[in-house]
Amino acid sequence: YENNCVLNLANTISDLDTTTFYTLFISNEDLTTVYPVPVQLDGLSPDEGVARFFLLDVNSSIPTAGSDPILLQWASSITLSIPFRESDKSLLYPPRMTVEYTQRLTADVQAGGSTGNGGFKVVYTSSYGSFWIAVVVLFGLCVAW
């Protein structure tokens, strides 16, 4: 699944007065247990993850109380990766979400650079290790034949 859009950044600057942080959870079928989904932020190493993410932010770039924000940040790419288990395709390993942020100066947005791209996709992955083992074995048999 993939969905891309164009964001009107000028509206977000005027309408956004707080940054909302989100935490993603998955649950079992009967909703009795929830599990947090680790979030990989752009720029962190693959073994580092965070629990919370935001979609739009202007507040972190306000230099002093009462002044206007300098930057607008938004989640320009969100990917939810869901790996299958090799032994049983009906079971999944824990998913991981990757968020890439883009920044733009608020002065540039107000001067006409008022749109930005955003996207969300879900990727199901599987290891091809056993497939390649089978290919090598079959190739070896063909050569020996």
Side-chain angles (χ1 to χ4, degrees):
Y1 174 81
E2 186 170 359
N3 191 357
N4 295 299
C5 62
V6 176
L7 307 168
N8 185 336
L9 301 177
N11 287 349
T12 62
I13 292 175
S14 61
D15 295 342
L16 190 65
D17 61 351
T18 185
T19 300
T20 303
F21 287 89
Y22 300 93
T23 304
L24 182 63
F25 293 94
I26 59 169
S27 70
N28 59 357
E29 285 187 46
D30 57 2
L31 303 176
T32 57
T33 307
V34 294
Y35 304 95
V37 174
V39 178
Q40 172 72 42
L41 297 180
D42 187 29
L44 293 179
S45 70
D47 58 344
E48 293 179 301
V50 297
R52 297 174 12 157
F53 64 98
F54 62 87
L55 299 177
L56 292 167
D57 172 51
V58 294
N59 295 319
S60 65
S61 70
I62 297 174
T64 59
S67 62
D68 291 331
I70 297 171
L71 289 173
L72 171 66
Q73 297 184 87
W74 71 95
S76 55
S77 175
I78 299 175
T79 302
L80 183 61
S81 299
I82 304 172
F84 287 106
R85 287 193 179 182
E86 194 64 34
S87 59
D88 185 353
K89 299 291 188 200
S90 67
L91 298 175
L92 304 172
Y93 284 115
R96 183 172 200 81
M97 188 166 77
T98 304
V99 180
E100 294 179 19
Y101 290 105
T102 301
Q103 299 177 343
R104 186 163 305 153
L105 293 171
T106 54
D108 291 346
V109 171
Q110 293 164 340
S114 61
T115 61
N117 294 325
F120 174 77
K121 71 177 163 181
V122 178
V123 177
Y124 294 93
T125 61
S126 179
S127 170
Y128 293 106
S130 60
F131 168 77
W132 287 114
I133 291 170
V135 167
V136 169
V137 169
L138 289 173
F139 180 74
L141 289 174
C142 289
V143 169
W145 179 272

